[in-house]
Amino acid sequence: MAAIGSFACVTGHAEGRPEDIPGFEDLWRAVSPDTAFAAMGTGTYRKMTGPVTPYIVDCVAKVLSEHGVGAAEVDRLVLATSDGVLGLLGRDVAVDVIRAAGLTACVPAIVSLQQCCSSIEALRYAWGLAGADARNVVLVALDFTPDDRDRVKSFAVFGDAVAGCLISRDHAGLTLAGTGVAADFSGMVGEDTFATRQSVARAALGQAYGQAGRTPEDVVKIFTSSLFAPIATFNGMAAGQARGKLHFQEPMTRYGHCGNADWLINLMDYNHKTGLEPGALYLAQASAPGFFACALLEAST
């Protein structure tokens, strides 16, 4: 049986405040003209100060170090990123990462085209690999925004981060009990409504709970996308989730919305502060225009 563990995160080295982005007030007024930014709950964001490859390599090294897994022991590397970043990675990103990280026996893959939900689909894919022909699979989720003016959106301020974990048959950790993903084309083209957002969330959650044979009441904590606090709370309410179960606020305040990496960052933050309870059930989820994805994670006893 495979298990998910050895979580690691590398955020952008530079810290910035949204208000310090040139033209911030005009940018914010353009995307959200009737809302005070102070009510959104964002304090700072992180920015990469160089190419993304060294950040990925650093994250991989930290993932492997917790259990002392050698780079040559990694069978698969699964990268996940949002649609817009996919084209920024470059055609040689796999070779560059494998060479620099020493992953000489590793088969790489990239999962994308589901916006910030791509990393949960990548988790499902990586879990399947570890249960079949691979002993050690490294999952890395990454997102970054080269131009600060593109960070300011109506739902979040984007930050840069790489986060990852190890799916292994040799080490204990979380079990993937169920996953779900659903799409809403109206959301993809910017015509979604509360009803369509609610429908896509409940469809994905229904898949995950059905696979696991569990109910929402069994979940101890939810690691959700780090959107502005009122929006994350509203989205949770639409999905039938209590505000008290959502864990995102403090990481969002420090790092901003790091796209695919959010649920991993939020899980790590919770584990550091509270710890994962043996036998407890947790929910990782991500929402994006036109998509909702989730994964039920059960802690080992």
Side-chain angles (χ1 to χ4, degrees):
M1 170 70 77
I4 306 163
S6 192
F7 296 93
C9 177
V10 180
T11 63
H13 290 116
E15 181 179 273
R17 295 186 61 82
E19 296 88 343
D20 295 333
I21 295 173
F24 171 77
E25 291 186 4
D26 290 337
L27 293 170
W28 177 245
R29 193 178 301 113
V31 298
S32 192
D34 301 319
T35 307
F37 181 73
M40 298 298 100
T42 293
T44 57
Y45 66 89
R46 295 300 179 92
K47 178 179 179 177
M48 292 182 181
T49 54
V52 69
T53 296
Y55 288 89
I56 299 173
V57 172
D58 190 11
C59 183
V60 170
K62 289 180 177 179
V63 165
L64 297 181
S65 67
E66 180 169 327
H67 293 309
V69 176
E73 298 177 80
V74 177
D75 302 298
R76 300 292 188 102
L77 172 68
V78 181
L79 303 179
T81 195
S82 58
D83 307 21
V85 171
L86 183 61
L88 302 175
L89 295 180
R91 60 183 297 176
D92 296 324
V93 63
V95 174
D96 293 342
V97 169
I98 287 172
R99 178 186 290 119
L103 304 175
T104 56
C106 175
V107 178
I110 291 181
V111 178
S112 189
L113 301 186
Q114 294 178 18
Q115 301 290 357
C116 297
C117 297
S118 298
S119 59
I120 293 182
E121 175 66 9
L123 177 66
R124 184 198 62 79
Y125 173 64
W127 177 263
L129 294 173
D133 59 354
R135 297 198 70 81
N136 294 301
V137 181
V138 174
L139 167 66
V140 173
L142 62 112
D143 266 309
F144 59 94
T145 304
D147 189 335
D148 284 348
R149 293 171 297 180
D150 294 330
R151 296 185 185 279
V152 183
K153 306 296 182 183
S154 62
F155 54 89
V157 170
F158 279 75
D160 302 346
V162 179
C165 61
L166 178 70
I167 301 97
S168 174
R169 284 190 263 161
D170 298 327
H171 304 281
L174 296 164
T175 298
L176 185 61
T179 63
V181 61
D184 167 33
F185 184 73
S186 64
M188 296 183 204
V189 297
E191 298 175 357
D192 54 324
T193 64
F194 174 82
T196 63
R197 290 193 296 271
Q198 183 179 64
S199 178
V200 73
R202 294 190 173 181
L205 290 164
Q207 294 172 27
Y209 286 117
Q211 291 172 20
R214 306 294 288 270
T215 68
E217 289 71 28
D218 297 327
V219 171
V220 172
K221 192 63 67 171
I222 301 169
F223 310 116
T224 193
S225 295
S226 295
L227 309 179
F228 291 139
I231 294 173
T233 302
F234 181 80
N235 288 349
M237 180 189 67
Q241 299 168 336
R243 171 67 181 87
K245 285 193 175 184
L246 302 177
H247 187 83
F248 73 97
Q249 178 75 64
E250 291 185 28
M252 185 272 292
T253 300
R254 294 197 305 273
Y255 307 127
H257 171 44
C258 298
N260 275 266
D262 276 351
W263 69 268
L264 283 158
I265 293 171
N266 294 335
L267 186 158
M268 290 177 61
D269 182 76
Y270 180 83
N271 188 34
H272 176 72
K273 293 175 179 174
T274 304
L276 299 176
E277 179 184 348
L281 188 69
Y282 299 93
L283 177 67
Q285 69 182 31
S287 58
F291 295 97
F292 191 98
C294 57
L296 287 166
L297 304 168
E298 186 170 1
S300 59
T301 56

